[in-house]
């Protein structure tokens, strides 16, 4: 008859077992099943935008616009000022200004970003200095002089104004796109190719995401430039808030000049605020954007 002791009844907790008379418990077994599922904190799911950044600037803009409106309600305007500000002229000028900004920015993006990508490819890198020279010439030329040349060539209207704004704003987006793509670590590109990614895959999944912060910074600069340059569209018959500014200057009517200037500044600040939020939200996770 064997002298081995009968093993005690197996009433150990789940996950615990005996090895050579010693009790062991599998690490993490049992607890994982009992642990409740906890959703990741919201700040890890999306980028954190502090309340001051979210509401401070829009609140200041709203207060300034409200104060301006209240002042105009009590202001004693003469017939010239009333004619300039009545019949929906202010809203028409503001809408034209927004349209000029949006349309010109759209064309800047579809021109500058693809061109910047093309000029960083091996086959076209030698053409990059030439393209940058032309872009620098476009911005170095005084905006009013560029618009005057376009009006002489194309005639009065919105079209020459748009082309002038686009030429003036291409440089920051183009230069930032090229700089962002050139700043990428070459070892990351080699690693991506080493795991079998195609050239298009490396561009869309590695290079562009890493360059997004710099590209968005260029877009933000271009947006603010477009808002400011669009005020000159009035000299070419393109409309915009520049109509109010020039009317106030030529007729020496300070209320009209003041309203046009305040609306232009408020629009530029609001557009810059929107672009700063886009920089935070659209940049890849893990790349810190400081604005």
């Amino acid at each position: 008859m064997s002298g081995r002791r009968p093993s005690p009844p197996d009433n150990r907790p789940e996950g615990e077992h005996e090895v050579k008379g010693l009790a062991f418990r599998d690490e993490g077994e049992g607890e994982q099943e009992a642990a409740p599922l906890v959703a990741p904190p919201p700040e890890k799911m999306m980028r954190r935008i502090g309340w001051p950044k979210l509401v401070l600037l829009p609140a200041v803009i709203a207060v300034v616009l409200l104060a301006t409106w209240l002042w105009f309600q009590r202001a004693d305007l003469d017939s010239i000022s009333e004619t300039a500000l009545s019949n929906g002229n202010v809203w028409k000028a503001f809408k034209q200004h927004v349209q000029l900004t949006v349309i010109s920015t759209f064309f800047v993006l579809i021109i500058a970003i693809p061109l910047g990508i093309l000029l960083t490819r091996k086959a076209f890198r030698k053409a990059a200095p030439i393209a940058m020279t032309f872009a620098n010439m476009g911005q170095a030329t005084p905006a009013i002089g560029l618009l005057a040349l376009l009006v002489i060539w194309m005639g009065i209207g919105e079209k020459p104004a748009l082309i002038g704004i686009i030429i003036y704003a291409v440089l920051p987006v183009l230069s930032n796109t090229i700089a962002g793509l050139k700043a990428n670590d070459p070892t990351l590109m080699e690693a991506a190719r080493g795991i079998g990614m195609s050239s298009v895959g490396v561009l869309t999944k590695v290079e562009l995401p890493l360059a997004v912060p710099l590209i968005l910074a260029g877009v933000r600069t271009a947006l603010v430039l477009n808002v400011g340059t669009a005020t000159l569209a009035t000299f070419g018959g393109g409309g915009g808030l520049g109509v109010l500014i020039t009317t106030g200057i030529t007729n020496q009517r300070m209320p009209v000049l003041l309203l046009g200037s305040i609306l232009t500044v408020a629009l530029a600040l609001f557009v810059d605020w929107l672009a700063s939020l886009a920089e935070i939200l659209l940049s890849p996770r893990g790349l810190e954007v400081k604005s």
Side-chain angles (χ1 to χ4, degrees), residues 236-265:
L241 292 171
V243 173
L244 299 179
I245 295 175
T246 54
T247 300
I249 293 174
T250 55
N251 294 305
Q252 297 183 355
R253 294 300 185 271
M254 190 57 63
V256 182
L257 172 61
L258 185 64
L259 181 60
S261 302
I262 289 175
L263 289 177
T264 303
V265 172

Side-chain angles (χ1 to χ4, degrees), residues 210-290:
L210 291 175
V212 160
L214 266 178
I215 295 174
L216 290 177
V219 173
R220 180 178 177 180
T221 303
L223 271 168
V224 178
L225 276 175
N226 286 351
V227 174
T229 311
T231 57
L232 301 176
T234 182
F235 296 107
L241 292 171
V243 173
L244 299 179
I245 295 175
T246 54
T247 300
I249 293 174
T250 55
N251 294 305
Q252 297 183 355
R253 294 300 185 271
M254 190 57 63
V256 182
L257 172 61
L258 185 64
L259 181 60
S261 302
I262 289 175
L263 289 177
T264 303
V265 172
L267 181 60
L269 291 175
F270 183 71
V271 165
D272 183 67
W273 173 76
L274 288 179
S276 69
L277 295 185
E279 280 190 83
I280 298 173
L281 296 174
L282 298 180
S283 295
R285 192 182 301 269
L287 297 180
E288 193 72 20
V289 177
K290 295 181 180 180

Side-chain angles (χ1 to χ4, degrees), residues 115 117-129:
L115 182 60
I117 294 172
L118 188 67
L119 293 174
T120 56
R121 302 306 95 185
K122 188 174 182 180
F124 298 95
R125 285 176 187 169
K126 292 183 179 180

